[in-house]
């Protein structure tokens, strides 16, 4: 069966510090991968998605970047965090292919607080 | 582009009462529709999905949803709510040509009173 991992679970970082959040998926090959940010009362905002190694699409211009160095690894990064980067970050995967019927499966999330 | 509206930000029901959470979508063709549930501090779990065929779909945990094309709705229902159903519920839509993406509503927070 497939599983998705995210770490760390919680993170408190000062403004201006770098960020690296990691997501890995087990039990499937060539998944589509997604990073979302969730702020209270605002639902889920899609930040990045990837359909393959090295292929990243950005949905919202911002202080963040994403990379996919391996098939089942997705990393969210920032060189300098802003207060507005605080939130709950969710990684998700879906089966490969441009098939919107494929549901997305979510990881447990990372709670990021920028002080 | 498709969009999703969940009109109710917060709903409170008593344990054992029936539940209906509303979801309206905007899309020019038949969409792919999903309901997810999120417990506090957790990721999202898929409750059910609709692609085509029977407009009443059954999901996990005793939930069901009905697709009504004429009303552009996909409301989630449960006949008898349990305290463990307290969570936030998200409706999402995927569409042909949406390029792998789902569009999520802003969620409805469900509180269950004993």
């Amino acid at each position: 069966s497939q599983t998705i991992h995210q770490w760390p679970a919680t993170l408190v970082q000062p403004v201006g510090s770098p960020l690296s959040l990691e997501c890995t998926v087990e039990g499937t090959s060539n998944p589509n991968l997604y990073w979302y940010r969730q702020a209270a009362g605002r639902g889920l905002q899609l930040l990045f998605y990837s359909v393959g190694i090295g292929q990243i699409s950005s949905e919202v211009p911002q202080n963040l970047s994403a990379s996919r160095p391996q098939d089942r690894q997705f990393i969210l990064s920032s060189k300098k965090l802003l207060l507005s980067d605080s939130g709950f970050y969710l990684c998700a995967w879906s089966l490969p292919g441009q098939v919107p019927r494929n549901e997305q499966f979510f990881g447990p999330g990372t709670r990021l607080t920028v002080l | 582009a498709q969009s999703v509206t969940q009109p109710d930000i917060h709903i409170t029901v008593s344990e054992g009462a029936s539940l209906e959470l509303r979801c309206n979508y905007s899309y020019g063709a038949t969409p792919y529709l999903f309901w997810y549930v999120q417990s506090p501090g957790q990721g999202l779990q898929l409750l059910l999905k609709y692609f085509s065929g029977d407009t009443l779909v059954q999901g996990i945990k005793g939930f069901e949803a009905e697709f009504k094309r004429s009303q552009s709705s996909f409301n989630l229902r449960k006949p008898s709510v349990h305290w463990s159903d307290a969570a936030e519920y998200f409706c999402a839509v995927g569409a042909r040509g949406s390029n792998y993406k789902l569009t999520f509503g802003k969620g409805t927070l469900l509180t269950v009173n004993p």
Side-chain angles (χ1 to χ4, degrees), chain B residues 31-67:
Chain B
Y32 301 114
L33 295 161
F34 307 83
W35 273 102
Y36 285 86
V37 60
Q38 183 181 33
S39 297
Q42 304 289 320
L44 278 70
Q45 180 184 22
L46 181 70
L47 285 176
L48 46 79
K49 57 189 177 184
Y50 172 78
F51 300 145
S52 64
D54 192 348
T55 56
L56 184 64
V57 294
Q58 303 297 322
I60 63 171
K61 304 185 179 185
F63 285 92
E64 66 179 25
E66 186 171 12
F67 171 62

Side-chain angles (χ1 to χ4, degrees), chain A residues 34 38 49 101 103-104, chain B residues 36 38 49 51 99-100:
Chain A
Y34 309 83
Q38 187 176 22
Y49 67 93
R101 69 168 58 195
E103 63 263 35
Q104 294 179 16
Chain B
Y36 285 86
Q38 183 181 33
K49 57 189 177 184
F51 300 145
N99 203 23
Y100 315 97

Side-chain angles (χ1 to χ4, degrees), chain A residues 32 34 36 38 41-44 46 49 51 59 88 90 97-108 111, chain B residues 32 34 36 38 41-46 49 51 88 90 94-102 104-107:
Chain A
N32 296 330
Y34 309 83
Y36 289 88
Q38 187 176 22
R42 298 185 61 183
L44 277 74
L46 179 64
Y49 67 93
V51 301
E59 287 297 298
F88 192 52
L90 288 160
Q98 189 174 350
V99 185
R101 69 168 58 195
N102 288 337
E103 63 263 35
Q104 294 179 16
F105 300 92
F106 286 80
R111 172 72 61 190
Chain B
Y32 301 114
F34 307 83
Y36 285 86
Q38 183 181 33
Q42 304 289 320
L44 278 70
Q45 180 184 22
L46 181 70
K49 57 189 177 184
F51 300 145
E88 191 156 22
F90 293 92
R96 294 172 184 81
S98 65
N99 203 23
Y100 315 97
K101 294 182 291 185
L102 295 181
F104 285 83
K106 294 187 176 182

